[in-house]
Amino acid sequence: MAFYALSLMKLIKDAKTKAPDAKEVFYADDGAAGGRLGPLSQFWKYLQEDGPKYGYFVNPSKSYLIVKPDARFVALACEKGTSSWLSTLPLEEYGFSLNKQEFKDAVAMRYNFPIEGRSKTCICGEENTQDHSLICKRGGFTSIRHNTIRDTTANLLEKICYGVEIEPALLPVGNRKLPPGSNVKDGARSDIVARGFWTPLDKAYFDIRVLHPGAKSNENKSFDKMYNQHEEEKKRQYNSRIQDIEHGTFTPLVFSTSGGMSKECNKFMKKLSEGLSFRTQQAYPDTINYVRRRLRFELLKTTLISIRGHRGRFFQRPIDLDEIDLNLIADYRVKD
Protein backbone atom coordinates (compact mmCIF):
# COMPACT_ATOMS: atom_id res chain seq x y z
CA MET A 1 0.00 0.00 0.00
CA ALA A 2 2.88 2.37 0.80
CA PHE A 3 4.45 1.89 -2.65
CA TYR A 4 1.06 2.40 -4.31
CA ALA A 5 0.63 5.67 -2.41
CA LEU A 6 4.06 6.80 -3.59
CA SER A 7 3.12 5.99 -7.18
CA LEU A 8 0.23 8.44 -6.95
CA MET A 9 2.41 11.40 -5.92
CA LYS A 10 2.70 12.63 -9.51
CA LEU A 11 -1.07 12.42 -9.97
CA ILE A 12 -1.70 14.36 -6.74
CA LYS A 13 0.95 16.98 -7.56
CA ASP A 14 -0.48 17.64 -11.02
CA ALA A 15 -3.97 17.98 -9.54
CA LYS A 16 -2.85 21.23 -7.92
CA THR A 17 -2.18 22.60 -11.41
CA LYS A 18 -5.25 21.19 -13.18
CA ALA A 19 -7.69 22.19 -10.40
CA PRO A 20 -5.88 24.79 -8.26
CA ASP A 21 -8.99 25.98 -6.41
CA ALA A 22 -9.95 22.49 -5.19
CA LYS A 23 -8.39 21.64 -1.83
CA GLU A 24 -7.61 17.93 -2.04
CA VAL A 25 -6.34 15.35 0.43
CA PHE A 26 -5.35 11.72 -0.15
CA TYR A 27 -4.75 8.73 2.08
CA ALA A 28 -3.41 5.90 -0.07
CA ASP A 29 -6.11 5.40 -2.71
CA ASP A 30 -8.81 7.33 -0.80
CA GLY A 31 -9.14 10.92 -1.96
CA ALA A 32 -11.33 13.90 -1.14
CA ALA A 33 -11.55 17.52 -2.22
CA GLY A 34 -13.39 20.62 -1.08
CA GLY A 35 -14.33 23.87 -2.79
CA ARG A 36 -16.88 25.33 -5.15
CA LEU A 37 -18.67 23.17 -7.68
CA GLY A 38 -16.63 24.49 -10.65
CA PRO A 39 -13.19 23.54 -9.24
CA LEU A 40 -14.59 20.25 -7.92
CA SER A 41 -15.84 19.41 -11.41
CA GLN A 42 -12.37 20.11 -12.81
CA PHE A 43 -10.79 17.91 -10.14
CA TRP A 44 -13.21 15.06 -10.87
CA LYS A 45 -12.66 15.29 -14.62
CA TYR A 46 -8.88 15.29 -14.11
CA LEU A 47 -9.00 12.11 -12.00
CA GLN A 48 -11.19 10.34 -14.57
CA GLU A 49 -8.95 11.28 -17.51
CA ASP A 50 -5.43 11.11 -16.01
CA GLY A 51 -5.97 8.69 -13.14
CA PRO A 52 -5.78 5.50 -15.27
CA LYS A 53 -2.26 6.51 -16.42
CA TYR A 54 -1.11 5.95 -12.85
CA GLY A 55 -3.31 2.93 -12.15
CA TYR A 56 -5.91 5.03 -10.37
CA PHE A 57 -9.50 4.30 -11.46
CA VAL A 58 -12.26 6.41 -9.92
CA ASN A 59 -15.28 4.40 -8.76
CA PRO A 60 -18.38 6.62 -9.22
CA SER A 61 -20.58 4.25 -7.17
CA LYS A 62 -18.38 4.88 -4.13
CA SER A 63 -17.98 8.63 -4.70
CA TYR A 64 -20.21 11.24 -3.08
CA LEU A 65 -20.85 14.93 -3.58
CA ILE A 66 -21.74 16.64 -0.30
CA VAL A 67 -23.15 20.13 -0.63
CA LYS A 68 -24.29 22.71 1.89
CA PRO A 69 -28.06 23.19 2.17
CA ASP A 70 -29.57 26.29 0.60
CA ALA A 71 -28.60 29.15 2.91
CA ARG A 72 -32.10 30.63 2.62
CA PHE A 73 -33.73 27.43 3.87
CA VAL A 74 -31.27 27.26 6.75
CA ALA A 75 -32.11 30.87 7.63
CA LEU A 76 -35.85 30.12 7.46
CA ALA A 77 -35.37 27.16 9.80
CA CYS A 78 -33.58 29.49 12.25
CA GLU A 79 -36.45 31.98 12.55
CA LYS A 80 -37.91 32.23 16.02
CA GLY A 81 -40.43 29.49 16.70
CA THR A 82 -40.03 27.64 13.40
CA SER A 83 -38.27 24.67 15.01
CA SER A 84 -40.62 24.30 17.98
CA TRP A 85 -42.41 21.34 16.40
CA LEU A 86 -39.19 19.30 16.59
CA SER A 87 -38.86 19.71 20.34
CA THR A 88 -42.53 19.25 21.25
CA LEU A 89 -43.87 16.12 22.93
CA PRO A 90 -46.25 14.32 20.50
CA LEU A 91 -49.43 14.94 22.52
CA GLU A 92 -52.46 14.10 20.38
CA GLU A 93 -54.95 15.82 22.71
CA TYR A 94 -53.26 19.15 21.96
CA GLY A 95 -52.80 18.46 18.25
CA PHE A 96 -49.03 18.18 18.69
CA SER A 97 -48.57 14.94 16.74
CA LEU A 98 -47.58 13.87 13.23
CA ASN A 99 -47.76 10.49 11.58
CA LYS A 100 -44.70 8.89 10.00
CA GLN A 101 -45.37 10.30 6.52
CA GLU A 102 -46.04 13.79 7.84
CA PHE A 103 -42.85 13.81 9.90
CA LYS A 104 -40.71 12.73 6.93
CA ASP A 105 -42.33 15.34 4.69
CA ALA A 106 -41.85 18.05 7.34
CA VAL A 107 -38.13 17.29 7.63
CA ALA A 108 -37.79 17.27 3.83
CA MET A 109 -39.52 20.65 3.56
CA ARG A 110 -37.34 22.10 6.32
CA TYR A 111 -34.13 21.36 4.41
CA ASN A 112 -35.55 21.61 0.86
CA PHE A 113 -35.07 17.89 0.21
CA PRO A 114 -37.19 16.25 -2.51
CA ILE A 115 -40.46 14.70 -1.36
CA GLU A 116 -41.13 11.33 -2.95
CA GLY A 117 -44.43 9.91 -4.11
CA ARG A 118 -45.88 13.10 -5.59
CA SER A 119 -47.12 13.65 -9.13
CA LYS A 120 -44.80 15.66 -11.37
CA THR A 121 -47.59 17.80 -12.82
CA CYS A 122 -50.27 19.69 -10.90
CA ILE A 123 -53.90 19.46 -11.99
CA CYS A 124 -53.63 23.11 -13.06
CA GLY A 125 -50.94 22.14 -15.61
CA GLU A 126 -47.93 23.61 -13.79
CA GLU A 127 -44.90 21.63 -12.64
CA ASN A 128 -45.82 20.24 -9.22
CA THR A 129 -42.86 21.55 -7.24
CA GLN A 130 -43.00 22.02 -3.48
CA ASP A 131 -43.20 25.79 -3.94
CA HIS A 132 -46.06 25.47 -6.43
CA SER A 133 -47.99 23.14 -4.09
CA LEU A 134 -47.95 25.80 -1.40
CA ILE A 135 -49.32 28.61 -3.59
CA CYS A 136 -51.66 26.76 -5.98
CA LYS A 137 -55.28 27.84 -5.49
CA ARG A 138 -56.74 24.56 -6.73
CA GLY A 139 -58.16 22.37 -3.99
CA GLY A 140 -58.71 25.29 -1.60
CA PHE A 141 -55.65 24.47 0.52
CA THR A 142 -54.45 28.08 0.74
CA SER A 143 -57.86 29.05 2.15
CA ILE A 144 -57.76 26.16 4.62
CA ARG A 145 -54.36 27.36 5.85
CA HIS A 146 -55.57 30.96 6.25
CA ASN A 147 -58.87 30.03 7.89
CA THR A 148 -57.26 27.63 10.36
CA ILE A 149 -54.88 30.32 11.63
CA ARG A 150 -57.74 32.83 11.72
CA ASP A 151 -60.02 30.57 13.76
CA THR A 152 -57.29 29.59 16.22
CA THR A 153 -56.29 33.22 16.74
CA ALA A 154 -59.93 34.18 17.37
CA ASN A 155 -60.30 31.27 19.81
CA LEU A 156 -57.31 32.49 21.82
CA LEU A 157 -58.57 36.09 21.77
CA GLU A 158 -61.90 34.97 23.26
CA LYS A 159 -60.06 34.00 26.45
CA ILE A 160 -59.01 37.61 27.17
CA CYS A 161 -61.32 39.85 25.09
CA TYR A 162 -65.03 40.24 24.51
CA GLY A 163 -67.04 40.89 21.37
CA VAL A 164 -64.76 38.63 19.31
CA GLU A 165 -66.08 38.10 15.78
CA ILE A 166 -64.78 36.39 12.65
CA GLU A 167 -65.04 38.32 9.38
CA PRO A 168 -66.94 41.33 10.74
CA ALA A 169 -68.45 43.63 8.10
CA LEU A 170 -66.91 47.12 8.06
CA LEU A 171 -69.05 50.26 8.08
CA PRO A 172 -69.66 51.85 4.65
CA VAL A 173 -67.18 54.56 3.65
CA GLY A 174 -69.86 56.85 2.22
CA ASN A 175 -68.46 60.13 0.90
CA ARG A 176 -65.30 60.00 3.01
CA LYS A 177 -62.05 60.23 1.06
CA LEU A 178 -59.41 57.69 2.00
CA PRO A 179 -55.78 57.40 0.84
CA PRO A 180 -55.05 55.60 -2.46
CA GLY A 181 -54.99 51.83 -2.08
CA SER A 182 -57.63 51.76 0.65
CA ASN A 183 -60.37 49.16 0.44
CA VAL A 184 -63.50 51.28 0.00
CA LYS A 185 -65.87 48.52 -1.13
CA ASP A 186 -69.22 48.16 0.61
CA GLY A 187 -69.35 44.89 2.50
CA ALA A 188 -65.59 44.75 3.02
CA ARG A 189 -64.53 42.63 5.99
CA SER A 190 -61.49 42.09 8.17
CA ASP A 191 -60.60 38.67 9.53
CA ILE A 192 -61.12 39.27 13.26
CA VAL A 193 -62.37 41.99 15.59
CA ALA A 194 -62.06 42.00 19.40
CA ARG A 195 -62.76 44.60 22.06
CA GLY A 196 -60.27 45.47 24.75
CA PHE A 197 -57.10 43.99 23.27
CA TRP A 198 -54.78 47.01 22.93
CA THR A 199 -56.87 49.49 24.94
CA PRO A 200 -59.96 49.00 27.15
CA LEU A 201 -63.36 49.07 25.38
CA ASP A 202 -61.89 49.88 21.96
CA LYS A 203 -62.19 47.62 18.95
CA ALA A 204 -59.05 46.00 17.58
CA TYR A 205 -59.19 44.66 14.03
CA PHE A 206 -56.82 42.01 12.67
CA ASP A 207 -56.23 40.67 9.19
CA ILE A 208 -54.20 37.53 8.56
CA ARG A 209 -51.91 36.62 5.69
CA VAL A 210 -49.86 33.44 5.29
CA LEU A 211 -47.09 34.03 2.75
CA HIS A 212 -44.74 31.50 1.18
CA PRO A 213 -41.05 32.54 1.20
CA GLY A 214 -40.39 30.36 -1.87
CA ALA A 215 -42.89 32.20 -4.07
CA LYS A 216 -41.35 34.14 -6.96
CA SER A 217 -42.51 37.44 -5.48
CA ASN A 218 -40.60 36.70 -2.24
CA GLU A 219 -37.60 34.54 -3.15
CA ASN A 220 -35.16 37.40 -3.81
CA LYS A 221 -36.10 39.52 -0.81
CA SER A 222 -34.62 39.62 2.66
CA PHE A 223 -36.92 38.34 5.39
CA ASP A 224 -37.45 41.80 6.87
CA LYS A 225 -38.33 43.26 3.49
CA MET A 226 -40.60 40.32 2.69
CA TYR A 227 -42.60 40.65 5.92
CA ASN A 228 -42.66 44.45 5.80
CA GLN A 229 -44.03 44.48 2.25
CA HIS A 230 -46.97 42.28 3.19
CA GLU A 231 -47.63 44.27 6.36
CA GLU A 232 -47.63 47.55 4.45
CA GLU A 233 -49.96 46.14 1.81
CA LYS A 234 -52.49 45.17 4.48
CA LYS A 235 -52.15 48.57 6.15
CA ARG A 236 -52.78 50.39 2.87
CA GLN A 237 -55.98 48.43 2.43
CA TYR A 238 -57.45 48.69 5.92
CA ASN A 239 -55.59 51.01 8.29
CA SER A 240 -57.10 54.37 7.30
CA ARG A 241 -60.59 52.95 6.88
CA ILE A 242 -60.61 51.30 10.30
CA GLN A 243 -59.08 54.29 12.07
CA ASP A 244 -61.26 56.94 10.40
CA ILE A 245 -64.56 55.08 9.99
CA GLU A 246 -64.55 52.40 12.71
CA HIS A 247 -62.41 54.40 15.19
CA GLY A 248 -60.53 51.23 15.99
CA THR A 249 -56.99 49.91 15.64
CA PHE A 250 -55.71 47.69 12.87
CA THR A 251 -52.92 45.10 13.11
CA PRO A 252 -51.77 42.91 10.18
CA LEU A 253 -50.79 39.40 11.28
CA VAL A 254 -48.34 38.03 8.71
CA PHE A 255 -47.15 34.43 9.01
CA SER A 256 -44.97 32.37 6.70
CA THR A 257 -45.47 28.75 5.65
CA SER A 258 -42.13 27.96 7.32
CA GLY A 259 -43.46 29.15 10.70
CA GLY A 260 -42.02 32.66 10.87
CA MET A 261 -43.89 35.82 11.85
CA SER A 262 -43.65 39.52 11.05
CA LYS A 263 -42.62 42.10 13.65
CA GLU A 264 -46.17 43.28 14.32
CA CYS A 265 -47.35 39.69 14.55
CA ASN A 266 -44.66 38.96 17.15
CA LYS A 267 -45.79 42.00 19.18
CA PHE A 268 -49.36 40.71 18.98
CA MET A 269 -48.28 37.25 20.20
CA LYS A 270 -46.49 38.76 23.20
CA LYS A 271 -49.49 40.89 24.15
CA LEU A 272 -51.85 37.94 23.68
CA SER A 273 -49.63 35.68 25.80
CA GLU A 274 -49.44 38.30 28.56
CA GLY A 275 -53.22 38.37 28.72
CA LEU A 276 -53.53 34.59 28.68
CA SER A 277 -50.85 34.29 31.35
CA PHE A 278 -52.75 36.70 33.62
CA ARG A 279 -56.10 35.03 32.96
CA THR A 280 -54.87 31.46 33.54
CA GLN A 281 -52.38 32.38 36.29
CA GLN A 282 -49.65 30.44 34.49
CA ALA A 283 -46.08 31.54 33.81
CA TYR A 284 -45.61 33.85 30.82
CA PRO A 285 -42.77 31.76 29.26
CA ASP A 286 -44.97 28.65 29.36
CA THR A 287 -47.91 30.57 27.89
CA ILE A 288 -46.08 32.11 24.96
CA ASN A 289 -44.39 28.79 24.20
CA TYR A 290 -47.81 27.12 24.07
CA VAL A 291 -49.25 29.81 21.79
CA ARG A 292 -46.29 29.62 19.39
CA ARG A 293 -46.34 25.81 19.33
CA ARG A 294 -50.07 25.63 18.70
CA LEU A 295 -49.92 28.02 15.78
CA ARG A 296 -46.72 26.40 14.47
CA PHE A 297 -48.33 22.96 14.37
CA GLU A 298 -51.39 24.30 12.58
CA LEU A 299 -49.20 26.05 10.02
CA LEU A 300 -47.18 22.86 9.60
CA LYS A 301 -50.19 20.56 9.22
CA THR A 302 -52.02 22.80 6.75
CA THR A 303 -48.77 23.14 4.77
CA LEU A 304 -48.36 19.36 4.66
CA ILE A 305 -51.96 19.05 3.46
CA SER A 306 -51.07 21.35 0.56
CA ILE A 307 -48.10 19.14 -0.35
CA ARG A 308 -50.02 15.83 -0.39
CA GLY A 309 -53.62 16.99 -0.86
CA HIS A 310 -55.72 15.91 -3.82
CA ARG A 311 -56.73 18.85 -6.02
CA GLY A 312 -59.05 17.04 -8.44
CA ARG A 313 -62.50 15.52 -8.06
CA PHE A 314 -62.67 12.08 -6.51
CA PHE A 315 -65.75 11.00 -8.43
CA GLN A 316 -68.27 12.27 -10.94
CA ARG A 317 -71.43 13.91 -9.73
CA PRO A 318 -74.06 11.20 -9.21
CA ILE A 319 -77.28 11.37 -11.21
CA ASP A 320 -80.06 13.04 -9.26
CA LEU A 321 -83.23 10.94 -9.57
CA ASP A 322 -85.32 14.10 -9.27
CA GLU A 323 -83.92 15.19 -12.64
CA ILE A 324 -84.96 11.99 -14.48
CA ASP A 325 -88.36 10.96 -15.81
CA LEU A 326 -88.37 7.29 -14.79
CA ASN A 327 -91.45 6.60 -16.95
CA LEU A 328 -89.45 7.47 -20.07
CA ILE A 329 -86.79 4.96 -19.11
CA ALA A 330 -89.44 2.28 -18.52
CA ASP A 331 -91.15 3.04 -21.86
CA TYR A 332 -87.80 2.83 -23.65
CA ARG A 333 -87.11 -0.63 -22.21
CA VAL A 334 -90.61 -1.87 -23.17
CA LYS A 335 -90.12 -0.80 -26.79
CA ASP A 336 -86.87 -2.74 -26.96
Side-chain angles (χ1 to χ4, degrees), residues 29-314:
D29 61 340
D30 293 326
R36 296 184 178 275
L37 291 178
L40 289 179
S41 177
Q42 294 174 349
F43 178 73
W44 175 256
K45 186 177 180 181
Y46 165 70
L47 291 182
Q48 285 185 312
E49 294 178 352
D50 290 20
K53 300 175 184 177
Y54 301 93
Y56 188 81
F57 297 89
V58 179
N59 188 346
S61 64
K62 293 184 178 180
S63 302
Y64 302 93
L65 177 65
I66 302 174
V67 298
K68 292 181 179 180
D70 190 318
R72 186 173 177 82
F73 283 89
V74 173
L76 285 170
C78 292
E79 283 193 277
K80 191 169 186 177
T82 57
S83 302
S84 59
W85 65 275
L86 284 168
S87 58
T88 302
L89 292 174
L91 304 173
E92 285 192 40
E93 59 185 309
Y94 296 108
F96 296 162
S97 62
L98 302 172
N99 62 34
K100 185 177 180 180
Q101 182 69 70
E102 290 171 336
F103 184 82
K104 292 172 72 174
D105 289 349
V107 172
M109 288 175 56
R110 177 180 172 86
Y111 296 109
N112 198 29
F113 294 158
I115 297 178
E116 299 179 354
R118 301 172 65 245
S119 61
K120 294 183 179 180
T121 306
C122 180
I123 193 172
C124 68
E126 297 288 334
E127 183 182 0
N128 196 27
T129 62
Q130 293 181 34
D131 288 333
H132 175 76
S133 296
L134 294 177
I135 62 174
C136 183
K137 303 296 185 183
R138 298 293 291 271
F141 298 118
T142 55
S143 296
I144 292 172
R145 188 160 59 235
H146 170 275
N147 294 345
T148 300
I149 298 301
R150 178 201 64 193
D151 295 347
T152 298
T153 303
N155 177 260
L156 292 170
L157 281 168
E158 282 185 320
K159 310 298 182 185
I160 62 171
C161 298
Y162 55 95
V164 177
E165 295 180 54
I166 290 177
E167 295 191 355
L170 301 179
L171 294 173
V173 175
N175 296 325
R176 296 287 294 274
K177 290 185 178 180
L178 297 177
S182 298
N183 185 342
V184 296
K185 295 180 180 178
D186 290 340
R189 299 172 181 269
S190 69
D191 282 328
I192 306 171
V193 65
R195 281 192 180 272
F197 183 77
W198 296 114
T199 53
L201 304 180
D202 293 331
K203 283 185 175 183
Y205 290 83
F206 308 93
D207 211 71
I208 292 166
R209 173 168 292 179
V210 184
L211 62 85
H212 177 50
K216 290 183 179 180
S217 58
N218 297 320
E219 61 184 0
N220 295 321
K221 298 173 184 173
S222 66
F223 296 157
D224 286 343
K225 186 176 181 180
M226 176 180 70
Y227 286 122
N228 288 339
Q229 178 179 334
H230 288 276
E231 281 186 340
E232 291 303 318
E233 184 178 337
K234 285 290 185 183
K235 287 180 179 179
R236 280 196 301 272
Q237 292 175 343
Y238 294 102
N239 201 39
S240 294
R241 177 169 182 169
I242 287 173
Q243 287 184 351
D244 296 347
I245 309 297
E246 304 286 345
H247 297 290
T249 62
F250 175 72
T251 306
L253 304 179
V254 181
F255 300 81
S256 73
T257 55
S258 58
M261 301 178 189
S262 64
K263 288 182 179 179
E264 295 214 23
C265 190
N266 270 305
K267 290 179 182 178
F268 166 81
M269 291 299 162
K270 291 177 181 178
K271 177 71 172 176
L272 174 64
S273 299
E274 287 175 2
L276 290 171
S277 175
F278 178 79
R279 180 60 59 88
T280 60
Q281 293 298 298
Q282 299 201 46
Y284 172 77
D286 295 336
T287 306
I288 194 168
N289 281 338
Y290 166 75
V291 171
R292 289 186 185 279
R293 288 175 195 274
R294 182 171 172 182
L295 288 167
R296 179 67 185 102
F297 264 91
E298 295 194 345
L299 275 171
L300 179 61
K301 288 185 174 182
T302 52
T303 299
L304 292 172
I305 291 172
S306 299
I307 291 291
R308 293 280 182 184
H310 180 74
R311 288 180 162 80
R313 297 182 65 176
F314 286 104

